[in-house]
Amino acid sequence: MAKLRLDLRMEKERSEGMLDEPPYIRVFIYGSLLPGLSNHHVVAPHLQSIVPGTIAGTLVDFGPYPGLFRTGDLRSAGTVRGCWIEVTRIGLQKMDELEGFAGIEEENDYERVWVRDSNHPKMQGWVYVWRDNRGYPVVRGNYWPDYFAAK
């Protein structure tokens, strides 16, 4: 009887998202979510950690914030500097709302894809990307805050 109660409790916790899920989700940020920029307030209350990082990709200038796109051949792609953050599930939901991500196979503004750090392959997580440059100009350099400050 005790085993049945334990199995039922574990099934309840799993269905409520309390079991087998990491407490924090790692996301690479590269634009307005970075500390000191306009949308950092969205993630700040949900941040557990933040460390610098670099991923393969290309930044484009969408005006007040960048877009990032990745080509099929990542070896020939440029690099983008930013930060790896760890956030709570609520933090990820807030970022999904900001980035217009409704889910896989949905109509999204940004897609959320899994990436690895260019210099530290064990560092991996989600990043929000566009499928292409959408006709916007490519950013010179690989760090949005430097580019944006010089605009």
Side-chain angles (χ1 to χ4, degrees):
M1 187 64 158
K3 182 178 180 336
L4 178 60
R5 276 193 298 252
L6 178 62
D7 289 345
L8 290 173
R9 189 182 82 219
M10 287 178 69
E11 186 56 39
K12 180 177 187 270
E13 289 175 354
R14 184 176 286 112
S15 71
E16 292 174 353
M18 296 168 48
L19 198 61
D20 294 330
E21 292 185 16
Y24 299 104
I25 299 99
R26 188 175 292 141
V27 180
F28 184 81
I29 58 173
Y30 55 86
S32 67
L33 289 167
L34 289 167
L37 296 184
S38 62
N39 285 317
H40 184 69
H41 68 278
V42 173
V43 296
H46 311 286
L47 267 178
Q48 172 63 24
S49 68
I50 184 166
V51 296
T54 303
I55 64 168
T58 304
L59 290 174
V60 295
D61 184 348
F62 186 62
Y65 56 88
L68 173 115
F69 72 97
R70 294 164 52 92
T71 62
D73 182 9
L74 296 179
R75 291 172 300 194
S76 65
T79 60
V80 174
R81 288 177 32 221
C83 292
W84 288 103
I85 61 173
E86 288 185 320
V87 294
T88 62
R89 290 230 166 264
I90 293 171
L92 184 66
Q93 291 170 352
K94 297 290 184 187
M95 286 190 294
D96 283 349
E97 291 170 14
L98 176 71
E99 305 294 3
F101 179 77
I104 296 171
E105 297 183 13
E106 298 292 331
E107 189 68 33
N108 298 309
D109 186 18
Y110 284 80
E111 298 299 326
R112 183 163 30 98
V113 300
W114 194 258
V115 295
R116 293 179 188 273
D117 191 276
S118 298
N119 301 317
H120 306 284
K122 290 185 180 182
M123 179 74 77
Q124 53 188 305
W126 296 109
V127 67
Y128 294 93
V129 300
W130 286 351
R131 293 177 193 257
D132 56 40
N133 68 3
R134 298 184 184 179
Y136 291 97
V138 170
V139 167
R140 288 189 204 141
N142 67 353
Y143 190 54
W144 176 255
D146 290 347
Y147 174 84
F148 190 68
K151 278 176 69 165

